[in-house]
């Protein structure tokens, strides 16, 4: 080899080495959501079965790198955990809890008492008739005690009761309510606390920014506390849209729950980019669905830039609110890892292409991820400076 060629080769080798080092450094240094937000709140995600069982490795990598908390999207609901009376199925939930522990994640149990995704047998006798109040209370107690005891000390917080109050503040006319009356709520909280006195206990619901629902939940928190029962936080599901709710009503709800003496968790955050098929009755009531209409599914080929920008802006506004109120917010959990996983593709209208989460269909972090990290860092700077 001629001296000049040799020299060029050496230079090239150094340049490549240098580049790969720089790339490595960039990879190592690139901040994650959980690092940026660690002084603010836990940042969580719901996991589906493909993630729980490690089949979706790309999503699993994102969870490990970006998130500090997990919740099971479906497998801990009563129809899956106790499909027949006394016959519990724990394989998926066990795996979910193992995954959380192995990766140092805060684990939430979702959900113990909910009218939806509950098995039919829960409320009926062998003739198909509603069971008595006494029997239903026994079943609630047995379900809660068995499930919480299994994960005692490992699952740190439970959505004890989900969606018991309607938007206008009245009680939901569920089987729990019809058979037991409003007492099913304090009973569930009591059984949960008895099963694991160290576990945090939450009331979880959607549309909790609606004034009627908000005031009824404040009343509920006070009455649980007056009865000496433990309630640590209100879980605000956070299934939001481009034009609902407004930030002021959301902030007013956070303030109301904090004044009632509990923390707030944003438990099921997703921001639909799609038009809402319902003018009224927006929210996340699982049974309120609408038939597919082509014109309600406008972005099958990708999100236009203008909509993506508006989406990023709106999600950013919500994160500004969460960061500004991080003293009271313990956790913000996304309802899924990436857009293709989101239940919003099928709710309230089946078969649509939605863009509700922080990672896109190629598992790439959206622009908002960078912005959330910047917002968190900027807030830390001002907090540190003002101290
Ligand atoms: C949803 C899941 O995401 C769907 O996969 C399932 O088909 C229905 O339930 N409120 C809740 C969540 O508390 O458990 C719901 O999750 C969404 C609304």
């Amino acid at each position: 080899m001629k001296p000049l060629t040799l020299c060029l080769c050496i230079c090239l080798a150094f340049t490549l080495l240098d580049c790969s080092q720089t790339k490595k450094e960039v990879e190592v240094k690139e901040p994650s959501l959980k690092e940026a937000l660690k002084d603010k709140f836990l940042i969580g995600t719901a996991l589906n079965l493909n993630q729980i069982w490690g089949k979706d490795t790309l999503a699993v990598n994102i969870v490990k790198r970006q998130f500090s908390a997990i919740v099971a999207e479906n497998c801990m609901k009563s129809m899956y955990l106790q499909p027949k009376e006394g016959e519990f199925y724990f394989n998926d939930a066990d795996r979910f809890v193992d995954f959380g522990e192995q990766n140092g994640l805060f684990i939430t149990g979702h959900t113990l008492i909910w009218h939806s995704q509950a098995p039919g047998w829960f409320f009926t006798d062998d003739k198909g008739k509603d069971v008595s109040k006494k029997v239903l209370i026994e079943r609630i107690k047995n379900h809660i005690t068995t499930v919480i005891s299994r994960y005692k000390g490992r699952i740190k917080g439970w959505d004890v009761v989900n969606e018991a109050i309607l938007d206008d503040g009245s009680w939901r006319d569920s089987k729990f309510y019809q058979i037991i009356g409003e007492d099913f709520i304090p009973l569930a909280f009591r059984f949960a606390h008895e099963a694991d006195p160290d576990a945090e206990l939450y009331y979880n619901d959607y549309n909790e920014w609606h004034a009627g629902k908000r005031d009824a939940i404040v009343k509920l928190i006070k009455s649980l506390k007056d009865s000496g029962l433990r309630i640590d936080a209100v879980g605000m599901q956070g299934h939001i849209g481009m034009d609902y709710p407004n930030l002021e009503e959301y902030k007013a709800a956070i303030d109301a729950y904090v004044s009632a003496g509990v923390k707030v968790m944003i438990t099921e955050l997703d921001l639909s980019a799609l038009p809402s098929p319902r003018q009224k009755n927006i929210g996340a009531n699982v049974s309120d669905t609408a038939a597919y209409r082509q014109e309600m599914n406008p972005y099958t080929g990708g999100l236009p830039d203008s909509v993506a920008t508006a989406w990023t802006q709106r999600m950013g506004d919500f994160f500004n609110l969460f960061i500004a109120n991080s003293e009271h917010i313990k956790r913000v959990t996304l309802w899924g890892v990436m857009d293709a996983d989101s239940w919003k593709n099928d709710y309230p209208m089946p078969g649509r292409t939605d863009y509700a989460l922080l990672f896109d269909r190629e598992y790439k972090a959206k622009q908002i991820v960078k912005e959330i990290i910047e917002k968190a860092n900027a807030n830390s700077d001002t907090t540190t400076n003002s101290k």
Side-chain angles (χ1 to χ4, degrees):
M1 201 183 277
K2 287 185 181 158
L4 183 64
T5 325
L6 181 68
C7 188
L8 279 175
C9 283
I10 293 171
C11 280
L12 186 67
F14 271 111
T15 316
L16 285 176
L17 194 71
D18 198 30
C19 269
S20 74
Q21 263 172 1
T22 322
K23 192 163 172 246
K24 227 182 193 169
E25 268 169 31
V26 170
E27 270 167 20
V28 172
K29 281 190 185 150
E30 200 175 290
S32 68
L33 286 168
K34 70 174 169 194
E35 284 150 13
L37 290 164
K38 69 174 185 304
D39 299 330
K40 308 279 184 283
F41 39 72
L42 294 164
I43 181 84
T45 180
L47 297 187
N48 61 29
L49 286 182
N50 282 336
Q51 295 151 357
I52 289 169
W53 287 100
K55 290 183 191 148
D56 187 351
T57 49
L58 293 175
V60 169
N61 289 343
I62 294 176
V63 176
K64 289 182 183 172
R65 167 133 180 74
Q66 300 281 358
F67 293 99
S68 49
I70 51 168
V71 61
E73 184 176 1
N74 282 303
C75 74
M76 296 196 71
K77 293 169 179 174
S78 59
M79 69 181 273
Y80 298 113
L81 283 186
Q82 199 182 172
K84 291 192 183 142
E85 183 164 21
E87 288 182 24
F88 286 85
Y89 174 81
F90 283 120
N91 289 8
D92 296 332
D94 286 355
R95 175 80 199 114
F96 161 75
V97 175
D98 287 347
F99 176 87
E101 280 191 329
Q102 282 157 12
N103 294 289
L105 301 161
F106 183 96
I107 310 171
T108 306
H110 174 79
T111 174
L112 295 162
I113 298 301
W114 187 28
H115 66 280
S116 185
Q117 291 180 284
W121 67 261
F122 216 104
F123 311 102
T124 49
D125 63 18
D126 48 11
K127 292 183 192 70
K129 289 223 173 88
D130 280 2
V131 290
S132 67
K133 181 170 173 170
K134 190 164 168 273
V135 169
L136 186 54
I137 292 175
E138 257 323 295
R139 288 180 178 179
I140 289 177
K141 184 174 186 187
N142 185 41
H143 184 77
I144 291 180
T145 309
T146 309
V147 174
I148 294 195
S149 304
R150 186 173 184 92
Y151 303 111
K152 192 171 176 180
R154 301 175 73 201
I155 291 193
K156 308 289 186 197
W158 288 93
D159 291 339
V160 180
V161 174
N162 200 26
E163 302 178 357
I165 296 169
L166 299 178
D167 289 354
D168 65 0
S170 59
W171 296 108
R172 178 187 293 278
D173 193 25
S174 67
K175 282 287 170 199
F176 293 113
Y177 181 74
Q178 284 170 14
I179 298 172
I180 301 177
E182 60 197 77
D183 276 356
F184 81 89
I185 302 176
L187 283 168
F189 275 83
R190 179 154 73 75
F191 299 145
H193 185 58
E194 283 167 3
D196 184 355
D198 293 329
E200 294 183 351
L201 306 181
Y202 320 131
Y203 174 76
N204 195 55
D205 212 326
Y206 60 84
N207 283 5
E208 286 166 307
W209 41 270
H210 253 288
K213 189 179 267 205
R214 180 195 70 205
D215 295 348
I217 294 173
V218 166
K219 229 170 112 190
L220 172 67
I221 297 165
K222 288 187 176 151
S223 92
L224 291 172
K225 282 181 175 279
D226 287 348
S227 316
L229 291 165
R230 176 171 186 166
I231 172 164
D232 295 87
V234 162
M236 298 180 73
Q237 289 185 8
H239 300 294
I240 54 178
M242 295 302 286
D243 51 9
Y244 66 89
N246 70 49
L247 282 150
E248 288 70 35
E249 52 197 0
Y250 213 88
K251 163 89 173 107
I254 293 173
D255 290 347
Y257 301 136
V258 170
S259 303
V262 291
K263 295 274 182 202
V264 169
M265 321 254 174
I266 312 301
T267 53
E268 303 180 16
L269 183 61
D270 46 34
L271 168 57
S272 175
L274 299 181
S276 171
R278 300 174 305 219
Q279 289 307 311
K280 280 194 214 153
N281 201 16
I282 43 177
N285 193 31
V286 173
S287 55
D288 287 347
T289 52
Y292 180 80
R293 294 209 314 275
Q294 182 74 49
E295 70 273 20
M296 298 305 269
N297 188 20
Y299 311 129
T300 49
L303 210 51
D305 285 350
S306 60
V307 185
T309 305
W311 186 96
T312 306
Q313 174 72 44
R314 184 153 166 82
M315 191 58 117
D317 289 346
F318 273 90
F319 268 91
N320 283 338
L321 178 70
F322 302 152
I323 290 171
N325 289 277
S326 58
E327 191 191 334
H328 307 297
I329 297 180
K330 261 205 77 180
R331 173 169 54 92
V332 174
T333 289
L334 277 295
W335 202 239
V337 176
M338 60 93 152
D339 284 343
D341 294 333
S342 170
W343 79 306
K344 294 301 294 180
N345 294 304
D346 289 301
Y347 178 86
M349 189 174 268
R352 297 199 294 174
T353 305
D354 207 343
Y355 301 83
L357 298 170
L358 302 187
F359 294 83
D360 69 16
R361 285 179 164 74
E362 275 74 51
Y363 297 88
K364 268 196 12 237
K366 295 185 186 173
Q367 167 69 14
I368 187 66
V369 171
K370 195 167 154 251
E371 291 190 15
I372 294 169
I373 291 168
E374 284 166 6
K375 287 173 198 297
N377 290 338
N379 179 278
S380 296
D381 291 347
T382 44
T383 336
T384 322
N385 288 342
S386 62
K387 273 185 188 157

